[in-house]
Amino acid sequence: MRMPSRELPPPPPPAHLRQWMDETVVRADRARFLEDLSRRSLGLGRLLLLWTVAAVFAFGWTFLGMAVMSFEEGDLISAFFGIVYAVIGAGVLVPAGFWFASGARQERRVRHLLCAWVEAGRDPAADARLRAPARSLVWLLASLALGAVGLWVAFGAAAGATPGEDTYGEVAYIMGFGMILWITALLGLAKAGAHYRWAVRAFRPPAGQDRPGRILSDAA
């Protein structure tokens, strides 16, 4: 019976219980759950979700930028619209912040389950797929490209501002938009790097199995 897609896999049974369970069933559950957790942690959908959250932040920041530019006009009508824009911007950014925090909590739970199921046994054929070098590379390259765009937008706005033509609100809005892109890229790069370090540690050969022939000599 397959679990609903929104539910996380259960933790592995304790070691003293696994000794009494069918090893084939435990290995099959381990492979299935690790594949699901790996997809949740480093899948393309997770990358798109991160960018979606960033897009929501950028949308809310747009209203805050419009509010600042309205306040700079100095008249009463512009100030009224500035208040409206500020309220809309806060109404977008606050839920986006809770959404981001909820995703971070789920990410920690996924990582905890990944570590727990990896330690529940060894299956070289299934574990090789969990290294996910292609998915890590996609996260790395996509984040590098996004970060380059963010830095170009942020520093370009500051360097290209013309006194008397560009207002402080316009410059702050464009720089803030670039910073959102840059921070999103840093999160993606950190994600790719953390997965690489985790895979190196998690799938390191156990002591005594790192040299060819060692297992056979011990068995003999």
Side-chain angles (χ1 to χ4, degrees), residues 47-82:
L47 177 61
L48 294 178
L49 179 61
L50 175 62
W51 286 10
T52 299
V53 175
V56 174
F57 273 103
F59 183 65
W61 178 254
T62 298
F63 282 101
L64 291 185
M66 294 170 61
V68 173
M69 288 183 278
S70 297
F71 290 137
E72 285 182 336
E73 294 293 331
D75 58 272
L76 186 61
I77 297 179
S78 297
F80 171 77
F81 280 106

Side-chain angles (χ1 to χ4, degrees), residues 136-153:
S136 296
L137 184 61
V138 169
W139 275 76
L140 178 65
L141 295 179
S143 299
L144 284 174
L146 187 66
V149 173
L151 288 176
W152 179 77
V153 171

Side-chain angles (χ1 to χ4, degrees), residues 116-128:
W117 275 107
V118 165
E119 295 172 358
R122 293 281 175 174
D123 186 357
D127 294 347

Side-chain angles (χ1 to χ4, degrees), residues 16-125:
H16 68 277
L17 293 181
R18 292 200 301 269
Q19 297 176 357
W20 300 95
M21 300 174 66
D22 187 347
E23 181 180 356
T24 304
V25 175
V26 174
R27 180 173 296 183
D29 287 343
R30 178 180 178 275
R32 185 173 71 254
F33 292 152
L34 283 176
E35 178 63 26
D36 179 47
L37 290 168
S38 178
R39 175 181 54 81
R40 292 173 183 267
S41 177
L42 206 69
L44 180 60
R46 192 70 184 180
L47 177 61
L48 294 178
L49 179 61
L50 175 62
W51 286 10
T52 299
V53 175
V56 174
F57 273 103
F59 183 65
W61 178 254
T62 298
F63 282 101
L64 291 185
M66 294 170 61
V68 173
M69 288 183 278
S70 297
F71 290 137
E72 285 182 336
E73 294 293 331
D75 58 272
L76 186 61
I77 297 179
S78 297
F80 171 77
F81 280 106
I83 295 174
V84 173
Y85 292 145
V87 170
I88 296 175
V92 174
L93 290 175
V94 171
F98 283 109
W99 187 15
F100 179 81
S102 176
R105 288 194 297 269
Q106 185 182 34
E107 181 69 22
R108 287 194 295 270
R109 292 196 295 267
V110 168
R111 179 53 59 89
H112 176 75
L113 288 172
L114 268 172
C115 294
W117 275 107
V118 165
E119 295 172 358
R122 293 281 175 174
D123 186 357

